[in-house]
Each structure stands twice: as C-alpha cells, then as structure tokens.
Amino acid sequence: MHDKWKLPTKAIHAGHIKDSSGALVTPLCQSATFVFDNAEQGGARFAGDEAGYIYTRLGNPTTAELERKMAVLEGSQAATATASGMAAVSSALLANLSQGEHLIASRAVYGCTFSLLSSQLTRFGIEVTLVDFNDLDAIKAAITPATRVIFCETPVNPHLDVFDLEAIASIAKRHDLITIVDNTFMTPLLQQPLSHGIDLVVHSATKYLNGHGDVIAGIVCGSDEQIEKIKYETLKDFGGVLSPHDAWLILRGLKTLDVRLERHCNNAEVIAQYLLKHDKVTKVYYPGLEGHSGHRFIGPQMRRAGGVIAFELDASLEKSIEFINELELFVIAVSLGDAESLIQHPASMTHSPYSDEQREAAGIHASLLRISVGLESVEDLIMDLEQALAKV
C-alpha cells in the first residue's frame, strides 16, 4: 500500500492480501475454528509463540482484512472489529477504566452510549461526569486525580455540535488521559481524529462504512498496544466480536464509501439550505451552514459536513409528529448512512434513555427532528419535504 494513494483508493485496495485462488473479491472465511497441523502448533499459537488463527472470536482472515483496511483509513497502527457500534464503545471504555476511576464525556451522545455511561459504568464503580465540550474550561474543571478517559462524539448525535479535537487532545495529554472519539457521522474519509492527537477512534460500522442497512457492526482504531489490550483482554472475554459474514459485507460497502459520501454530502447541503429558508422551520443544525458554530472546523478538522441534518419546526410537538407521518420518501427509522433517507424524533426514539431534564441540558429539544439524507434525487427529497410541510 502506497502512502501517496488517496483515501478513496485505499478504501478499495488497503488491507487486501491476494488469495491463492486469485479471487478478486475477498473470500468469506465462514469458519468458527481453525485446524492445527499438530498439537505442538496449537500450543504455540495459544502461547503467542506462533502466528496463525485459532478460533474466530480471537481472529478470522475475513475480519482481519477489514481491520487492516480500517487502520489504514484512520491512520492508526491497528484496528479491531466488533459486533456493534455499542460493542466498540463499551470495549474501548472498559479496556481503559477500572473501579474507582473517572470518565469525562460530552453531555450529548447517542442514547445507548448515554445509558452505558449513566447506568452501566456507574454500577461497576466508575464515576462519570457529563459536561459541555464546547466549554474547554468545563472539561479542565471536571478532571480529578481519578480521571482516566475523555470521551465524545463529533459531530454530536443528534444536534451536530462540533468539538475542537486538537484542543481536547491537548488537555488530555497534559493530564495523561486517554481520549476516545466516536467518528461514526464523519467516517475516516471526512475526519481522522487520530491526526488531531486523539488516542482511540470508534465507529458504528452499521452506518456509512457499510452503507446498505444490512449489518450491525463496530470498529475501534488505535495504537498496537491499545488494540491488543482491547481485542485480547476485553473483547475476547466479553465476546462482542464481529461475524466474518458481516465483515465481508462491510468490505463490500467500503469500496463505494467515497462516491456514496459525495452524494450524501451534496444532497444534505442542498436540503439544509432549503430548510434554512423555509418559513415553517425555526432552526437548522448542520455544520455545512455558515451560521453553524461548527462551520469553522470544515477544512481544519472536517473535509465536509456529512449527511445528517437536525432541525426544528415552527409547530407543536404533535404537529411535528404529524409532519413526519406525512412524508413519503423519507422513511421513519433510526440509524443513518443508508441509501434510503431516514427521519426520526430523537427525544422519543434514539435519545429516549435521557430524562426530560437531561435532554434539555444536552440541547436535545422535544421539537428536534433528525434526518439522514440518502442517495435519492435531491429534487425528489425536497418535493417530499415540501408536500409534508404544506400540511403542518
């Protein structure tokens, strides 16, 4: 793999090892276990004295290609694949936190991540402090002698706040803390947190990396040391590993990631401008708009603004729900990054684990709607929005 190759090329070619059969497409190694030539070889592999596959929970050739490819795309030394985005988040956190230690996270995160932080980690004696990551002084003030990890998403799910990764990484390094960033909304083609000083990057590979709505998967990228600890000390025992078939499907999806992202971003930019000018829309959250606080990071940190938009209507909650129900092309579903355009109501759906007070503190208002802009004709998508808005 040539370093001079650009990311779209690497998304197709990185990590591939020529198969003995000459197959162009990566073979699917759908095997749970692997045969040893003799008992001595089996013992040597378990002892770590000989390289080779043992059992798919510990590694698989198809999954390994996905891991190699993602490491190249994120600019990391290594990567490990997991059974879901939440398995990626939980594995990265559990590998770096113990009872009595402390985690700082942003107030607004994906609902199940919030539940993990606020309900699950605390059960095991891990303290969690949620702060506004737009306020760097608040991050500094939250650090205690027990702090070990700083975690955030950027852009944030669901209202698309963008955080300064270099500033966060600088704070963490001064206190010898591990930084973990969820890069799901951007993918490595639009943002590479490790290049800004972040230690670990997690993805829900269910979303843009796969792109076809038929896989649940996660990825963690980082140093050899960190990934080995996550893979062989945490993920191995908790068991949230990715199936070879799902890895194979994501490898297929990554080949078209660049062209899909271009269409997602182009469509989202047009729709964001349309919503911004509509008299029934009171606010649009999209970093691609000049008025958005995160717009200044496009260029220095993000290549483009992505394909997710949040917005609020000049309407009651009941009327906003009615608007969702009137849409024809936009499918009412959670997730994002699929070919189909999706719409959901975060307060009652993806972010329902928050209490009303916690949602307001995180800026997730009851009137907020989130769309994942798909690959359809943007003219058709605007026509669908227009007919539904006309009925509000």
Side-chain angles (χ1 to χ4, degrees), residues 10-69:
K10 291 177 178 178
I12 296 171
H13 293 283
H16 184 67
I17 296 175
K18 186 176 180 180
D19 179 65
S20 59
S21 70
L24 173 65
V25 175
T26 302
L28 170 56
C29 183
Q30 192 68 48
S31 181
T33 196
F34 297 86
V35 176
F36 309 128
D37 292 337
N38 49 58
E40 290 81 2
Q41 184 184 63
R45 289 188 182 179
F46 270 93
D49 297 330
E50 178 182 314
Y53 295 101
I54 298 172
Y55 187 67
T56 282
R57 181 158 49 83
L58 306 175
N60 176 281
T62 309
T63 307
E65 179 166 328
L66 171 62
E67 292 168 341
R68 291 192 298 270
K69 189 184 294 287

Side-chain angles (χ1 to χ4, degrees), residues 6-11 73-74 183 186-192 203 209 254 256-259 261-262 302-304:
K6 297 187 182 301
L7 286 173
T9 302
K10 291 177 178 178
L73 293 178
E74 280 290 5
N183 199 30
M186 288 284 96
T187 83
L189 268 63
L190 298 183
Q191 179 174 263
Q192 293 173 306
H203 289 273
L209 298 181
L254 284 169
T256 61
L257 178 60
D258 180 60
V259 292
L261 279 176
E262 182 177 6
M302 304 154 57
R303 295 180 181 90
R304 295 187 72 177

